[in-house]
Structures are given as structure tokens and as C-alpha cells.
């Protein structure tokens, strides 16, 4: 019977580890595709600068001259970064959640670009007159289709990268579409209840002793270590800007998942110490 109990405990610890890895993988995709991570990735990878430079130079008549430099400066403003952050975040989430998303709306792009012109003028680097503003707005409108195509291509790469994340964590997801149903609020709630249920089962199998909580903590910390490793490695170094962008997204998501697991594991260990001390005190009082 004791051997059977040990086998059951060992099996439950493995199942708990897998369940936590899957749950944390879902959270990593969620966090990694959020606006904060997307903005971080846009800034660190310089992908917008590369994409806009290519698009701008194909549209402006003065290829390497003042207009091209002005356009690039405007595209790098906070107003345009905010615009690209919202668009890319929504696009990546649409890929993850398997839903359609709208391409860049030209009128929204032009509104953001207009704010960007105001920011450039306020900084004093250029003094863009109303007539020149109108000309640059025309260039921005012509650039929109190229920007859309380039950004969509980059976001499509996220599917392969995100699949790799899930496989690294739990060896269960074969594609983003396979784990898309897990991303709903209801599915997350069910997964969390399953994890709590397995932890409770380990506690009762241990005879309601602290050892059962320690087993849960060990599985949780191990899941955190897996995501900690992923947060450290990412998808590998590359000179390709798009892969650098994806690397930041994946590292950000994995880092948050690792932190959640690490904190939860430490709290469980502390709780196990409290339970053990209480049990020891109760046993002493009985004597």
C-alpha cells in the first residue's frame, strides 16, 4: 500500500508539473502579447524603424534627403509608437485567439502621424510648415499599405515562435490553434482549479502533513525554472530584426510566468513550514 501511495504521489507531482507548465504557457502567451511587452519589443528591436525606413524610402521622391529623414523622425515619435503598439498587440492577440483583425486604418495612422509632426516640431529638430505637413501626410498615406504588409508578415512569425514556447514548456501544443481554446477565461479558471485540486490531493495523500505542500511547491518551482530558462534563452540570438522583436515578446511572457511560479513556490514552502510548526506544537500539547 505504501508503495502504491508513493507511486500515486510521484504521478500526481508529474501531472501537476505538466498542468502548471501548460497554464503558465497560456499566461506567457497572454502577457507576451500585451501592450507593455509589445511596446518593449518595438523599442528594443527597432523593428518599426527598419520597416518604416524601407516603406518610406520606397514612397518619398527624395530617397535619402530631408523628407525621408523627417518621415523617419516622425515615425519614431511617441505618438507613432503608441499607434504601432496598439496595432501589433491586437494583431498578435488575434493570431493567438484565432480571430480576424483589421489592417491598419489609414485615418488612424494619419491622426497618429499628425500628432507625431506636432511632437517633432515641439522638440525643435525640424520646423515643419503647414504646406510641408500636408506633403508629409500624403507620403504617410501612401506608405500605409507597405507598413501593413511588413507588420503583418512580422506578426505571422509569432505563430511559429509561440508554438515553440508551448512545446518547450509542456510538449503538448503542436500549434497556436491547438492551444487557442485554452486562452479563454473559463479555460484558465478550469486549469487553475485542476492545479489546486492536484495540490489538495497531494496534501491529503500525505496525511494532511506539510510534506504534501512541499511536493506542490517543488512542482511549482520546477515549472518556474522551466520558464526561467526560456526567459533567459528566448528563441536564440539573431541579426534579423523581426526575430529580435519576437524574442523580446517571448522573454517578457516567460519572465512573468517564471516570477509567478517562483513566488507561488516560495509562498507554498513558507506555508508548509507554518503547517509543520503548528502540527509539531499540537503534537507537543497532546503529550
Amino acid at each position: 500500500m505504501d508503495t502504491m501511495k508513493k507511486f500515486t504521489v510521484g504521478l500526481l507531482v508529474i501531472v501537476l508539473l505538466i498542468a502548471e507548465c501548460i497554464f503558465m504557457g497560456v499566461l506567457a502567451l497572454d502577457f507576451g502579447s500585451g501592450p507593455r511587452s509589445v511596446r518593449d519589443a518595438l523599442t528594443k528591436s527597432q523593428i518599426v524603424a527598419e520597416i518604416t525606413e524601407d516603406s518610406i524610402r520606397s514612397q518619398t521622391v527624395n530617397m535619402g534627403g530631408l523628407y525621408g529623414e523627417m518621415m523617419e523622425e516622425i515615425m519614431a515619435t511617441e505618438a507613432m509608437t503608441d499607434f504601432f503598439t496598439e496595432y501589433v498587440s491586437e494583431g498578435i492577440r488575434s493570431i493567438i485567439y484565432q480571430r480576424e483583425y483589421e489592417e491598419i486604418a489609414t485615418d488612424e495612422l494619419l491622426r497618429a502621424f499628425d500628432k507625431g509632426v506636432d511632437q517633432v516640431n515641439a522638440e525643435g529638430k525640424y520646423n515643419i510648415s503647414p504646406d510641408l505637413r500636408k506633403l508629409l501626410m500624403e507620403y504617410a498615406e501612401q506608405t500605409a499599405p507597405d507598413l501593413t504588409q511588413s507588420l503583418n508578415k512580422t506578426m505571422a512569425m509569432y505563430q511559429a515562435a509561440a508554438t515553440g514556447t508551448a512545446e518547450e514548456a509542456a510538449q503538448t501544443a503542436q500549434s497556436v490553434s491547438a492551444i487557442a481554446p485554452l486562452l479563454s477565461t473559463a479555460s484558465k479558471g478550469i486549469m487553475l482549479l485542476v492545479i489546486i485540486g492536484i495540490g489538495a490531493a497531494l496534501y491529503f495523500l500525505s496525511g494532511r502533513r506539510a510534506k504534501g505542500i512541499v511536493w506542490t511547491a517543488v512542482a511549482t518551482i520546477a515549472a518556474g525554472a522551466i520558464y526561467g530558462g526560456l526567459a533567459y534563452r528566448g528563441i536564440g540570438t539573431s541579426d534579423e530584426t523581426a526575430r529580435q522583436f519576437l524574442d523580446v515578446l517571448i522573454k517578457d511572457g516567460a519572465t512573468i510566468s517564471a516570477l509567478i511560479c517562483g513566488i507561488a513556490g516560495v509562498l507554498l514552502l513558507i506555508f508548509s513550514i507554518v503547517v509543520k510548526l503548528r502540527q509539531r506544537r499540537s503534537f507537543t500539547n497532546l503529550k
Side-chain angles (χ1 to χ4, degrees):
M1 184 63 183
D2 189 54
T3 303
M4 187 63 182
K5 183 182 287 188
K6 288 180 180 178
F7 174 78
T8 304
V9 167
L11 184 61
L12 282 176
V13 170
I14 294 172
V15 172
L16 178 61
L17 174 60
I18 294 172
E20 289 186 322
C21 282
I22 294 173
F23 182 62
M24 286 300 123
V26 168
L27 293 186
L29 288 175
D30 236 354
F31 290 129
S33 61
R36 187 195 67 80
S37 292
V38 169
R39 189 181 185 87
D40 187 32
L42 289 175
T43 303
K44 289 181 178 178
S45 68
Q46 299 295 313
I47 189 169
V48 171
E50 181 179 287
I51 290 173
T52 54
E53 182 179 356
D54 291 341
S55 301
I56 289 165
R57 291 189 184 282
S58 68
Q59 293 295 336
T60 54
V61 291
N62 192 357
M63 293 294 182
L66 185 61
Y67 293 161
E69 291 178 2
M70 279 186 180
M71 290 284 288
E72 289 168 21
E73 193 70 30
I74 295 166
M75 288 291 186
T77 59
E78 286 292 313
M80 291 304 299
T81 300
D82 289 342
F83 172 79
F84 287 123
T85 295
E86 182 178 351
Y87 176 74
V88 174
S89 178
E90 178 59 30
I92 290 176
R93 284 182 176 273
S94 297
I95 291 172
I96 294 172
Y97 285 92
Q98 298 292 293
R99 64 178 183 234
E100 294 294 326
Y101 68 95
E102 295 182 4
E103 293 186 347
I104 290 178
T106 303
D107 55 342
E108 293 180 8
L109 170 65
L110 293 179
R111 280 197 294 271
F113 188 85
D114 194 44
K115 291 180 182 177
V117 172
D118 290 336
Q119 290 178 6
V120 168
N121 276 339
E123 290 169 1
K125 189 168 184 179
Y126 293 105
N127 184 18
I128 301 175
S129 66
D131 288 340
L132 182 53
R133 179 193 292 257
K134 183 178 179 181
L135 179 63
L136 293 176
M137 293 283 282
E138 290 176 1
Y139 287 150
E141 186 173 4
Q142 294 168 10
T143 300
D146 287 339
L147 284 175
T148 301
Q149 184 178 4
S150 298
L151 288 171
N152 287 350
K153 182 179 178 181
T154 300
M155 289 186 291
M157 292 176 62
Y158 188 81
Q159 179 165 354
T163 302
T165 304
E167 289 172 349
E168 183 82 19
Q171 299 294 322
T172 55
Q174 297 302 313
S175 65
V176 170
S177 59
I179 66 171
L182 300 177
L183 291 163
S184 68
T185 302
S187 295
K188 291 174 189 172
I190 292 171
M191 283 189 287
L192 186 57
L193 287 175
V194 168
I195 289 169
I196 293 172
I198 296 172
L202 286 169
Y203 177 65
F204 283 107
L205 277 173
S206 68
R208 296 185 179 182
R209 291 183 295 173
K211 187 186 293 185
I213 303 173
V214 172
W215 287 330
T216 302
V218 168
T220 303
I221 292 173
I226 291 173
Y227 279 93
L230 182 60
Y232 176 76
R233 295 192 312 273
I235 57 175
T237 57
S238 173
D239 293 332
E240 189 178 353
T241 307
R243 284 188 63 83
Q244 292 172 6
F245 169 76
L246 298 175
D247 187 59
V248 174
L249 292 183
I250 289 172
K251 283 182 176 179
D252 276 8
T255 297
I256 296 174
S257 290
L259 286 173
I260 291 173
C261 283
I263 292 170
V266 170
L267 290 176
L268 284 169
L269 286 176
I270 293 172
F271 182 55
S272 71
I273 293 172
V274 173
V275 170
K276 189 171 184 177
L277 290 174
R278 284 186 176 181
Q279 290 173 341
R280 183 176 295 175
R281 188 179 305 163
S282 298
F283 180 73
T284 302
N285 291 336
L286 287 173
K287 291 176 69 176

